[in-house]
């Protein structure tokens, strides 16, 4: 077995760890779990740190459990939240859980016959038959209100500006999560819970519950919350989360997110979000510092993580799509793009919609009358004569010419480029 704590330490992935954790992991194969909140049918990159912890855990010879919070998802964790969130019904939760397992399979080996194969569990399975009276009698009596009130996640909500305070439902969250750890400890010999540093209070409630109820050993380990060098929130863009599901965030947009991280962040992220060895990473960082303009570190990071999440084929498509916007690509490369990637590449580019019968009309009418790409036909003619107009990445030189069915990308789009940097899309319906 590899030293898991040592591996995470050099990667900058340990925030707090209970004494004795490393000794336990070096002594024997150990089971550990991470809780995942099923509030959506896709994980986003904010979940990736915990998932990478499980991946490294399995890689080091230990047994990872991914716990989907089917029951806790119905309550809502108050940690780091200023307001209570909407609760989900059982049908929605089941759909979300199935989708999340599919995504987790890209990171963890669930199907191996090795003793450290990953296991997916859902806390709804053991919580659904618990009566309220049984829970407060068998579990609630072991943890004092004083202990629960001392947790930062509770204190912040009770002393914060939010007037609504905190419902009993949310207050009980740490007890329910603590019971998860107790259940997995008793039934699956799970001795370690891992998560983000904001979960420390909930995790240690679990270790305390185990100690008081059974006397068994239990450990806790958290990773830092990921930040950006500029102080912005990691994983968030103007359009919201970066999702792992290609339907919510295209592989091209996903790839571009990692390509565009700052140098300082790339150094941090390549250790956290890839499985590359220390030697490879240190060499890549040193090389990047010599030639930062080449963005070699970002390219390596984007490659590794895009392949891990979306596969090599989608990675290659993302690289090719990047070349269309930033390089000297051909119209054939443009036409090879699927519709989602095409729209991702040219996200934010002005779009005009025209009826299909307008196709085949004179180019000057199309660009200066039917659309406002040019202020006048004369301006358009001058640009064409100066060799400054491109249609689908190819120079268009005939001022009396027309755009036809053959010009369409994905059967409906035409990309117009005016000069070097001004792009427009015409969509024919």
């Amino acid at each position: 077995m590899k030293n898991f704590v040592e591996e995470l330490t050099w990667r900058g992935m340990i925030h707090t760890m209970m004494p004795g954790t490393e000794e336990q992991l070096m002594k024997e194969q150990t089971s550990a779990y991470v809780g995942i909140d099923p509030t959506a049918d896709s994980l986003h990159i904010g979940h990736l740190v915990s998932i990478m912890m499980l991946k490294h855990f399995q890689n080091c010879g230990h047994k990872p459990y991914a716990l989907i919070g089917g029951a806790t998802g119905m309550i809502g964790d108050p940690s780091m939240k200023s307001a209570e969130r909407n609760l989900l019904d059982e049908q929605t939760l089941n759909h979300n859980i199935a989708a999340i397992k599919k995504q987790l399979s890209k990171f963890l080996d669930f199907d191996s016959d090795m003793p450290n194969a990953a296991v997916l569990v859902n806390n709804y399975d053991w919580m659904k038959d618990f009566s309220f009276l049984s829970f407060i009698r068998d579990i609630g009596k072991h943890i004092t209100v004083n202990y629960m009130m001392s947790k930062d996640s509770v204190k912040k909500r009770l002393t914060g500006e939010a007037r609504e305070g905190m419902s009993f439902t949310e207050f009980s969250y740490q007890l329910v999560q603590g019971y998860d750890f107790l259940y997995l400890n008793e039934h699956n010999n799970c001795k370690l819970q891992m998560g983000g540093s904001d979960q420390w209070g909930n995790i240690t409630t679990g270790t305390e519950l185990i100690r008081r109820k059974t006397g068994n050993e239990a450990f806790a380990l958290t990773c830092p919350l990921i930040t950006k060098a500029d102080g912005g929130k990691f994983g968030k863009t103007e359009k919201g989360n970066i999702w792992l599901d290609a339907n919510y965030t295209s592989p091209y947009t996903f790839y571009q997110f990692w390509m565009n991280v700052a140098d300082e962040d790339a150094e941090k992220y390549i250790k956290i979000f890839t499985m590359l060895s220390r030697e490879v990473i240190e060499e890549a960082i040193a090389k990047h510092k010599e030639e930062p303009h080449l963005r070699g570190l970002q390219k390596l990071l984007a490659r590794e993580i895009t392949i891990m999440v979306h596969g090599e084929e989608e990675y290659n498509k993302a690289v090719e799509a990047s070349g269309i916007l930033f390089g000297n690509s051909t119209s054939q490369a443009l036409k090879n793009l699927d519709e989602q990637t095409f729209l991702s590449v040219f996200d934010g580019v002005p779009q005009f919609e025209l009826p299909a019968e307008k196709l085949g009309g004179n180019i000057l009418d199309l660009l200066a009358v039917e659309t406002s790409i040019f202020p006048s036909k004369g301006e358009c003619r001058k640009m064409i004569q100066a060799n400054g107009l491109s249609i689908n990445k190819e120079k268009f030189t005939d001022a009396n010419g027309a755009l036809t069915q053959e010009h369409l990308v994905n059967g409906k789009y035409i990309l117009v480029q005016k000069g070097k940097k001004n792009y427009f899309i015409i969509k024919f319906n």
Side-chain angles (χ1 to χ4, degrees):
M1 284 189 302
K2 284 170 68 179
N3 187 323
F4 174 70
V5 172
E6 202 176 79
E7 182 72 18
L8 256 59
T9 301
W10 78 259
R11 290 180 182 273
M13 292 175 74
I14 294 184
H15 183 273
T16 318
M17 183 171 64
M18 202 169 267
T21 303
E22 186 170 10
E23 291 77 2
Q24 166 62 33
L25 295 176
M26 292 308 291
K27 183 173 73 176
E28 62 188 358
Q29 184 185 94
T30 303
S31 294
Y33 86 94
V34 160
I36 295 166
D37 187 2
T39 46
D41 61 357
S42 173
L43 301 168
H44 54 74
I45 60 174
H47 293 106
L48 274 183
V49 190
S50 294
I51 295 167
M52 291 305 292
M53 286 171 87
L54 285 181
K55 187 169 176 64
H56 284 296
F57 195 71
Q58 187 172 42
N59 207 41
C60 288
H62 299 290
K63 188 171 183 71
Y65 281 76
L67 182 147
I68 305 290
T72 34
M74 290 179 166
I75 300 173
D77 180 4
S79 302
M80 307 299 281
K81 308 220 172 39
S82 59
E84 192 156 343
R85 68 179 175 205
N86 295 329
L87 310 183
L88 301 176
D89 61 69
E90 197 174 339
Q91 186 180 352
T92 305
L93 280 166
N94 289 337
H95 165 74
N96 292 355
I97 287 162
I100 288 169
K101 179 169 186 188
K102 193 176 172 188
Q103 290 182 339
L104 287 172
S105 300
K106 296 174 179 179
F107 298 87
L108 301 171
D109 180 4
F110 288 96
D111 303 319
S112 160
D113 52 9
M114 299 288 282
N116 72 326
V119 179
L120 186 88
V121 290
N122 176 2
N123 64 7
Y124 185 70
D125 293 338
W126 56 81
M127 290 302 301
K128 69 178 185 290
D129 298 324
F130 232 133
S131 76
F132 176 69
L133 291 176
S134 300
F135 189 79
I136 57 173
R137 183 192 64 202
D138 298 339
I139 306 305
K141 69 178 182 184
H142 292 285
I143 300 291
T144 66
V145 169
N146 307 49
Y147 180 85
M148 294 172 74
M149 295 278 284
S150 70
K151 301 295 183 182
D152 283 345
S153 61
V154 174
K155 279 198 288 194
K156 281 177 185 169
R157 279 292 292 276
L158 292 180
T159 59
E161 293 174 9
R163 288 183 184 175
E164 66 271 15
M166 182 183 206
S167 69
F168 174 76
T169 306
E170 282 193 303
F171 182 61
S172 64
Y173 183 93
Q174 61 174 293
L175 261 188
V176 180
Q177 186 173 326
Y179 180 71
D180 288 342
F181 199 174
L182 173 65
Y183 183 92
L184 289 174
N185 181 266
E186 289 187 310
H187 292 82
N188 302 77
N189 194 28
C190 194
K191 294 184 177 178
L192 172 64
Q193 185 183 166
M194 303 186 291
S197 58
D198 60 324
Q199 289 295 312
W200 181 256
N202 290 335
I203 294 173
T204 51
T205 297
T207 61
E208 187 68 9
L209 187 59
I210 290 166
R211 186 184 67 76
R212 291 185 187 185
K213 198 165 190 311
T214 69
N216 291 346
E217 280 190 309
F219 302 93
L221 186 155
T222 61
C223 59
L225 294 179
I226 304 303
T227 55
K228 282 168 62 179
D230 63 6
K233 191 168 181 183
F234 167 74
K236 289 274 189 185
T237 66
E238 288 176 13
K239 299 207 165 177
N241 287 320
I242 300 293
W243 299 93
L244 305 195
D245 188 319
N247 294 315
Y248 298 146
T249 300
S250 72
Y252 167 80
T253 304
F254 184 86
Y255 169 80
Q256 281 297 324
F257 172 83
W258 301 102
M259 278 297 294
N260 290 319
V261 300
D263 289 354
E264 189 182 327
D265 289 332
E267 269 190 49
K268 184 165 64 173
Y269 297 165
I270 201 161
K271 294 172 186 172
I272 297 171
F273 298 114
T274 78
M275 297 299 288
L276 296 170
S277 70
R278 188 170 191 169
E279 294 72 28
V280 169
I281 287 174
E282 285 175 352
E283 187 183 329
I285 290 172
K287 193 172 178 185
H288 180 82
K289 283 179 175 170
E290 289 171 15
E291 302 174 305
H293 60 285
L294 296 180
R295 300 187 75 71
L297 205 53
Q298 283 89 341
K299 286 176 183 172
L300 183 58
L301 168 66
R303 177 184 189 280
E304 290 295 310
I305 197 161
T306 305
I307 289 175
M308 199 173 352
V309 173
H310 293 295
E312 195 148 3
E313 188 182 339
E314 290 298 338
Y315 160 74
N316 289 331
K317 281 188 198 171
V319 173
E320 189 173 354
S322 300
I324 286 167
L325 193 55
F326 306 114
N328 298 315
S329 270
T330 62
S331 69
Q332 192 53 51
L334 189 70
K335 288 181 178 178
N336 288 342
L337 295 181
D338 59 85
E339 185 173 3
Q340 186 194 28
T341 306
F342 173 80
L343 292 174
S344 294
V345 171
F346 298 101
D347 184 32
V349 166
Q351 264 199 47
F352 298 91
E353 292 198 25
L354 294 177
E357 56 266 23
K358 295 291 182 183
L359 200 61
N362 176 267
I363 186 82
L364 303 180
D365 287 327
L366 198 68
L367 302 187
V369 179
E370 303 295 346
T371 67
S372 56
I373 294 172
F374 286 91
S376 68
K377 290 186 185 182
E379 290 278 336
C380 186
R381 182 180 281 105
K382 274 186 205 168
M383 182 68 83
I384 292 171
Q385 288 168 348
N387 218 22
L389 179 73
S390 293
I391 299 295
N392 297 339
K393 303 298 284 185
E394 287 185 352
K395 292 293 180 189
F396 195 92
T397 55
D398 183 4
N400 298 312
L403 301 182
T404 65
Q405 196 78 26
E406 287 180 9
H407 288 100
L408 294 180
V409 176
N410 286 297
K412 61 179 93 159
Y413 301 105
I414 286 177
L415 180 71
V416 180
Q417 187 177 353
K418 186 167 85 169
K420 283 189 176 177
K421 294 182 179 175
N422 295 311
Y423 288 99
F424 302 86
I425 289 172
I426 304 175
K427 180 182 179 184
F428 290 90
N429 296 312

